Amino acid sequence: MADNSELLTPRQVQARYGIAPQTLANYRWRSEGPAYIKTSPSRTGRVLYRTSAIEQWLNERTVSPAAQQAG
C-alpha cells in the first residue's frame, strides 16, 4: 500500500495513474485537476503531487453506473 504522503513527479503520476504530464500541465494552467506542490514560484519551479491528492481527485470523479440511471 502506498504512503498517501508520498510525493510524485508528473512522470511518476503518469506511470502510476496513467495521466500524461502534459494533461497535468493543462489542468494546472486552467486551475483544474488535482492539488499540487510547486517548489518555486518561478516558471521553472518543480511540480510535485501527493498521492493522496491524486487519489482524492480521482475519487471525486468516480461515477457509479447505477447512480447515472437513477438521475
Side-chain angles (χ1 to χ4, degrees):
M1 180 104 175
D3 176 7
N4 283 342
S5 63
E6 182 180 8
L7 297 177
L8 303 174
T9 66
R11 286 186 185 187
Q12 290 171 320
V13 171
Q14 180 181 30
R16 187 173 294 180
Y17 298 99
I19 306 167
Q22 186 59 52
T23 300
L24 293 168
N26 291 341
Y27 288 152
R28 291 191 306 272
W29 186 78
R30 295 188 317 235
S31 298
E32 299 174 358
Y36 62 94
I37 298 165
K38 182 118 185 224
T39 60
S40 168
S42 73
R43 192 166 186 258
T44 60
R46 188 171 183 196
V47 173
L48 300 169
Y49 293 89
R50 291 187 193 282
T51 55
S52 58
I54 297 286
E55 290 173 7
Q56 176 185 354
W57 183 77
L58 291 171
N59 286 336
E60 290 169 356
R61 279 144 189 81
T62 300
V63 178
S64 170
Q68 284 182 326
Q69 292 176 3

